[in-house]
Amino acid sequence: MSKPRYFIESGKEAKLLRSKLGMNQSEFWSRISVTQSGGSRYESGRNLPKPVRLLLNLAYAPEKQAMDILKKLRQNEKG
């Protein structure tokens, strides 16, 4: 299985999605246990660490993409 493409790869993409969803920073980022101030820093250009990127994608990507990521993670766990 090839590496799944992330739905959200940057803080800028997260900010665009958050705006489309009509959520404030606290609502959006708290879903993955990131503080509002931490989310603000990511949205302002700080690099998203891989664990944060993974959580964002599991929480907000379309179901098929999220499931592809989860499947890949589980395969890595076994191998």
Side-chain angles (χ1 to χ4, degrees):
M1 179 177 188
S2 64
K3 180 179 174 187
R5 186 205 167 317
Y6 288 139
F7 179 67
I8 301 168
E9 295 192 15
S10 69
K12 182 179 179 179
E13 290 177 346
K15 182 177 181 177
L16 287 171
L17 177 62
R18 180 178 63 75
S19 294
K20 281 184 186 178
L21 295 173
M23 298 172 83
N24 66 37
Q25 287 179 332
S26 293
E27 293 168 328
F28 183 85
W29 291 99
S30 68
R31 188 180 285 185
I32 62 163
S33 297
V34 170
T35 63
Q36 178 276 322
S37 60
S40 177
R41 286 190 291 274
Y42 294 136
E43 290 182 12
S44 296
R46 180 174 284 178
N47 285 341
L48 287 174
K50 186 176 181 177
V52 172
R53 236 181 12 251
L54 284 170
L55 289 170
L56 278 172
N57 282 278
L58 291 173
Y60 291 107
E63 187 172 357
K64 180 176 178 351
Q65 279 181 288
M67 293 306 293
D68 287 347
I69 292 167
L70 188 57
K71 186 184 292 185
K72 182 67 175 174
L73 287 171
R74 288 183 172 169
Q75 283 179 346
N76 288 344
E77 187 178 282
K78 293 176 188 174

